């Protein structure tokens, strides 16, 4: 497409005026936007709930298993008969 074709196309678009939009376009956009917002809010709440549940589960496991305590050594036999 050369320059004159592009210019002609632009002139036709400018002369034609704005396209006709459906009358319920704004209402439909509002409805979809509200639905997207509700879904996003719900997903965010679910993710926060899972994060908190994971943190509580990790805290309970850490308090019961005590992974920071060194386990007793089982490799050295007890000294008896000295």
């Amino acid at each position: 497409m050369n320059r004159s074709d592009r210019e002609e196309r632009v002139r036709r678009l400018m002369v034609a005026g704005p396209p006709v939009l459906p009358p319920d376009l704004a209402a439909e956009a509002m409805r979809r936007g509200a639905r997207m917002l509700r879904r996003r809010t719900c997903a965010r709440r679910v993710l926060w709930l899972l994060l908190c549940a994971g943190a509580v589960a990790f805290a309970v496991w850490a308090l019961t298993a005590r992974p920071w305590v060194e386990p007793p050594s089982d490799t050295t036999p007890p000294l008896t008969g000295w």
Side-chain angles (χ1 to χ4, degrees), residues 37-56:
L37 186 61
R38 279 193 310 271
R39 284 182 180 175
R40 188 177 298 152
T41 303
C42 182
R44 190 178 298 128
R45 286 181 182 164
V46 167
L47 288 175
W48 273 111
L49 179 68
L50 287 174
L51 180 70
C52 291
V56 168

Side-chain angles (χ1 to χ4, degrees), residues 19-43:
V20 179
L21 299 176
D24 64 337
L25 183 66
E28 182 70 19
M30 290 281 291
R31 187 180 64 79
R32 286 185 181 185
R35 184 174 57 192
M36 284 175 39
L37 186 61
R38 279 193 310 271
R39 284 182 180 175
R40 188 177 298 152
T41 303
C42 182

